[in-house]
Amino acid sequence: MLDQIESTTKNIRSRTANFFPTVGIILGTGLGGLVKEIKIEHSIPYHEIPNFPVSTVPGHHGQLIFGDLGGKKVVAMQGRFHFYEGYTMHQITFPIRVMKALGVTTLCVSNASGGMNPNFEVGELMILNDHINFFPDNPLIGRNEDALGPRFVDMGETYKKEYIALAKVIALENKIKISEGVYVGLTGPCFETPAEYRFLARMGADAVGMSTVPEVIVAKHAGMDVFGISIITDLGIEGRTQTITHEEVQRVAHLKEPLMSLIVKELVKRI
Ligand code: HPA
């Protein structure tokens, strides 16, 4: 893996001249619009990057974007990789390893999720204050590369408290309703059955989705600070659950995109 990271980083460096990003962003559902706020200096399609997986989801552009956001040098993934697409945990998280090698110290991630906390409403934003890895896998399984991080990783403050407090201030200043909660990540691609929602809620999760956890685990292994934010696109709450489709998830996420983008842009500026 070290050789792959090195050759990919070398390739990217040769194409991005003296650009040294410190913040990495995964433009998941709800953050697509943030691209418009980035003063783009370079963009490289995934298929031109050695060792990078190629996105299979229609509508996911699949490129790495390098530019300025709120005065910070950022590298943003436009298009992420999901476990349900058939990628391995190592493939999904390879871009995070490359970000680290490029100099990134902070990772911002976004996603769409199903709300299970009875106080939640559709369209609400939730800051991740913790997660539960409910994937049947972990990207750190296998021989540990000590050069990349420790064998056993402390996950006591996976989502940096300082960023959570800052995001709440930004939301308040802009009159955006925001909650915080625990995100449980699982494989999908089915949405959950009513019994599964019930089970996940009782387990201690506030929202459920099919991404984020693998990337965040690797970011922590690499010693990065992490901020995560989710749009509640539907509810898995008894009596309030409606039929969910991918289109509906996208529709709700799109509506709230400007709010999520504002919070992340402002956060990146202030950290
Ligand atoms: N479950 C899993 N993933 C999701 C959901 C959900 O209800 N909504 C958006 N992504």
Side-chain angles (χ1 to χ4, degrees):
M1 183 159 58
L2 289 179
D3 288 353
Q4 286 190 331
I5 296 168
E6 196 185 319
S7 71
T8 303
T9 307
K10 238 187 202 160
N11 180 285
I12 292 174
R13 278 222 190 288
S14 74
R15 300 161 76 172
T16 56
N18 293 319
F19 191 92
F20 296 101
T22 56
V23 178
I25 304 173
I26 303 179
L27 299 168
T29 308
L31 268 189
L34 193 64
V35 168
K36 294 198 281 282
E37 307 283 339
I38 301 176
K39 275 185 229 122
I40 300 176
E41 291 192 26
H42 308 277
S43 55
I44 313 178
Y46 291 160
H47 67 86
E48 290 182 12
I49 305 176
N51 305 314
F52 247 57
V54 174
S55 184
T56 65
V57 179
H60 283 220
H61 299 291
Q63 54 179 353
L64 265 194
I65 292 170
F66 298 82
D68 181 288
L69 179 71
K72 295 264 167 34
K73 299 241 181 271
V74 304
V75 51
M77 286 180 72
Q78 191 174 34
R80 69 139 61 90
F81 305 102
H82 299 90
F83 197 65
Y84 62 73
E85 293 176 85
Y87 299 111
T88 64
M89 284 279 168
H90 288 276
Q91 287 177 305
I92 292 169
T93 56
F94 183 72
I96 311 303
R97 295 291 186 200
V98 173
M99 282 181 177
K100 172 71 182 183
L102 288 169
V104 167
T105 53
T106 292
L107 180 71
C108 296
V109 291
S110 80
N111 59 55
S113 62
M116 297 174 299
N117 182 321
N119 298 321
F120 286 177
E121 289 161 32
V122 167
E124 185 162 339
L125 298 182
M126 184 190 93
I127 301 167
L128 276 64
N129 62 18
D130 209 344
H131 76 217
I132 296 172
N133 179 19
F134 217 56
F135 287 85
D137 202 350
N138 185 307
L140 304 183
I141 288 175
R143 190 165 68 90
N144 187 62
E145 295 289 359
D146 294 335
L148 299 179
R151 168 79 289 184
F152 302 104
V153 185
D154 181 84
M155 298 294 278
E157 188 182 334
T158 301
Y159 299 88
K160 197 177 171 73
K161 286 197 173 85
E162 194 186 312
Y163 295 166
I164 296 174
L166 190 53
K168 283 176 153 178
V169 169
I170 294 164
L172 199 64
E173 286 170 0
N174 291 279
K175 300 188 171 56
I176 299 168
K177 182 174 188 271
I178 204 152
S179 329
E180 57 175 287
V182 175
Y183 173 92
V184 56
L186 38 67
T187 66
C190 313
F191 291 112
E192 290 65 37
T193 64
E196 285 165 347
Y197 281 127
R198 227 168 18 242
F199 167 72
L200 296 168
R202 284 183 193 163
M203 188 168 78
D206 297 291
V208 54
M210 308 174 193
S211 66
T212 303
V213 169
E215 295 102 314
V216 170
I217 289 174
V218 165
K220 294 312 288 182
H221 184 247
M224 293 184 192
D225 292 326
V226 178
F227 175 73
I229 184 165
S230 187
I231 297 186
I232 307 297
T233 54
D234 51 271
L235 298 175
I237 300 168
E238 232 158 353
R240 291 167 71 195
T241 305
Q242 292 184 324
T243 305
I244 324 171
T245 59
H246 181 60
E247 289 68 31
E248 181 60 8
V249 167
Q250 297 290 321
R251 190 188 69 78
V252 176
H254 194 67
L255 281 177
K256 298 291 166 177
E257 210 166 79
L259 301 184
M260 191 126 132
S261 293
L262 186 152
I263 290 172
V264 172
K265 180 186 171 183
E266 205 52 39
L267 186 95
V268 168
K269 195 164 144 186
R270 297 189 200 181
I271 59 181

